[in-house]
Amino acid sequence: MNKVPRRYDLDFLRVAAFMLLIVYHVSLMYNSRNFLLKAPDTSPIFDIIHLWTHPWRMSLLFIISGTVTGMLLTRQSPEALRSARTRQLLIPLLLGLLFLIPPQIYVWLNAGLDVNVSFYDVVWHYLTWTPIRLPDGELAQLAGMQHLWYLAYLWIYTAILTLAVSARPQLLVFAGDKLASWLTGKWLLILPIMFFVLLRLLLRPVFPPTSNLLGDWYSHAIYIACFFIGAALAMRDDYWDAVVSMRRPALCLALACAPVLALLFVAMPLPEPEKWRLVVGQAIAGVFQWCTIVAVLGYARIWFKTENAVIRYLNRAVLTYYVLHQTVMLLIAYVLDQLGLMSASLFVPIVVVTLAICALLYELKRQLEASCKAMFTARFA
């Protein structure tokens, strides 16, 4: 079987998307949305970060993950890939749920809700699935995957796809032929835009995004579609050529949508936006979502054709950064909040320190793995 060439553009985009995700999560402490910990001062700038990155960032990551999955399925069996993904995704998920989520809950209860509970009590309530009483008398169940939902969703989509390919080996080839014949020229923009807009107008109001695995139907519809499109079209050069050819009109449409979204939801804020504004905003967000993805994929395919040592290193490290970053940033912010220093001026320093600590912890993890491997090799040589 011919070796599949490495997609350096996807390596770059994967790293960039996860780094942007870290910036986005830090911005949640400073914008108008609910989050585990909120700074005393907010700014519309941070709401713009949400509006201009959130609609497309995770969809892009699922397209990249699907594309890589489709490429891997050309050189290994579905069973082998499913087994590898289980180790790569579920082990970090389980360790994260056990060790990284309780500190986030502790910060949320103490700094976000003024509950004044010890970390020991948080861990006990969390591990025993026992609700805790909030200051208003309401009982809160300490559960949830927080930012780790991506690992669970990706593993489920991978399991579904690999099981389907095991049952029907030519599934991706058949689906790729159909999709590539539809997604040509202007239809590469029109058909997916219609799909995203319809889901935003019809499904999102009924099932708003929750990151709750069992009821997050709007998010599942978006993300599983992106994942399967990426897998089906991974090896279709005609599709990727179409993406490159449509990158300029996609970029123009995305740039036209961005200020309109800011005008609708940031420049004219309302506690309860009018229905027309919500409908128009969601329609424009759907256009913005797909056009940004096409523009980013198209330009990256042109600009990033060779291997880069920094991207190669970060591509291996970025999953560790992703798993660690939210707990790290919240603990940094919690300390600053307790000192009375939590302000918008510290947004960039929090991002930088979070990345630095994640980088340090990744290096410690890498060195520990290398030492363990060397000891194992020496013992059984």
Side-chain angles (χ1 to χ4, degrees), residues 148-159:
L148 299 177
W149 64 267
Y150 170 75
L151 301 179
Y153 283 34
L154 181 56
W155 181 82
I156 289 172
Y157 302 161
T158 303

Side-chain angles (χ1 to χ4, degrees), residues 107-285:
V107 170
W108 171 62
L109 290 172
N110 284 273
L113 300 180
D114 295 323
V115 174
N116 191 23
V117 61
S118 70
F119 182 68
Y120 172 82
D121 287 336
V122 168
V123 173
W124 186 86
H125 282 278
Y126 178 74
L127 294 179
T128 59
W129 200 258
T130 306
I132 193 168
R133 191 171 297 277
L134 301 180
D136 61 3
E138 182 181 353
L139 291 175
Q141 189 72 55
L142 304 186
M145 292 184 288
Q146 300 301 335
H147 69 295
L148 299 177
W149 64 267
Y150 170 75
L151 301 179
Y153 283 34
L154 181 56
W155 181 82
I156 289 172
Y157 302 161
T158 303
I160 292 172
L161 178 62
T162 52
L163 289 171
V165 172
S166 294
R168 189 176 179 185
Q170 294 302 309
L171 174 65
L172 289 183
V173 175
F174 174 79
D177 289 341
K178 288 292 184 182
L179 286 172
S181 66
W182 295 339
L183 301 179
T184 58
K186 62 184 180 181
W187 296 107
L188 176 69
L189 298 182
I190 294 173
L191 291 178
I193 284 174
M194 291 172 60
F195 173 75
F196 283 118
V197 170
L198 284 174
L199 287 182
R200 283 179 170 273
L201 294 180
L202 300 179
L203 195 59
R204 186 186 174 101
V206 182
F207 300 104
T210 62
S211 300
N212 183 341
L213 185 63
L214 299 180
D216 200 10
W217 299 117
Y218 165 75
S219 296
H220 283 313
I222 291 287
Y223 296 147
I224 202 168
C226 289
F227 180 79
F228 285 162
I229 288 172
L233 297 171
M235 305 303 296
R236 297 295 305 236
D237 288 336
D238 49 350
Y239 163 75
W240 289 103
D241 290 343
V243 168
V244 170
S245 68
M246 295 302 295
R247 70 191 186 282
R248 291 191 182 92
L251 178 62
C252 291
L253 283 171
L255 292 176
C257 291
V260 178
L261 288 173
L263 181 65
L264 286 172
F265 295 112
V266 177
M268 298 188 297
L270 284 175
E272 296 268 344
E274 304 96 323
K275 187 174 181 179
W276 71 265
R277 190 187 301 196
L278 291 174
V279 171
V280 172
Q282 290 299 334
I284 293 174

Side-chain angles (χ1 to χ4, degrees), residues 63-138:
I63 288 177
I64 294 171
S65 298
T67 303
V68 173
T69 300
M71 294 168 63
L72 290 174
L73 283 171
T74 64
R75 62 175 185 259
Q76 61 182 276
S77 69
E79 293 75 20
L81 179 57
R82 186 167 59 251
S83 177
R85 286 290 185 257
T86 297
R87 294 191 301 271
Q88 294 166 358
L89 298 174
L90 290 193
I91 291 176
L93 173 62
L94 294 175
L95 291 175
L97 290 174
L98 187 61
F99 295 108
L100 298 178
I101 299 303
Q104 295 187 34
I105 296 175
Y106 173 81
V107 170
W108 171 62
L109 290 172
N110 284 273
L113 300 180
D114 295 323
V115 174
N116 191 23
V117 61
S118 70
F119 182 68
Y120 172 82
D121 287 336
V122 168
V123 173
W124 186 86
H125 282 278
Y126 178 74
L127 294 179
T128 59
W129 200 258
T130 306
I132 193 168
R133 191 171 297 277
L134 301 180
D136 61 3
E138 182 181 353

Side-chain angles (χ1 to χ4, degrees), residues 281-322:
Q282 290 299 334
I284 293 174
V287 178
F288 178 67
Q289 181 176 9
W290 181 248
C291 287
T292 304
I293 289 171
V294 172
V296 167
L297 289 172
Y299 281 103
R301 189 160 171 81
I302 292 176
W303 292 342
F304 303 101
K305 294 183 177 181
T306 58
E307 187 175 23
N308 179 282
V310 174
I311 297 301
R312 182 176 66 248
Y313 171 83
L314 289 175
N315 195 51
R316 294 193 295 264
V318 75
L319 182 62
T320 301
Y321 287 27
Y322 164 74

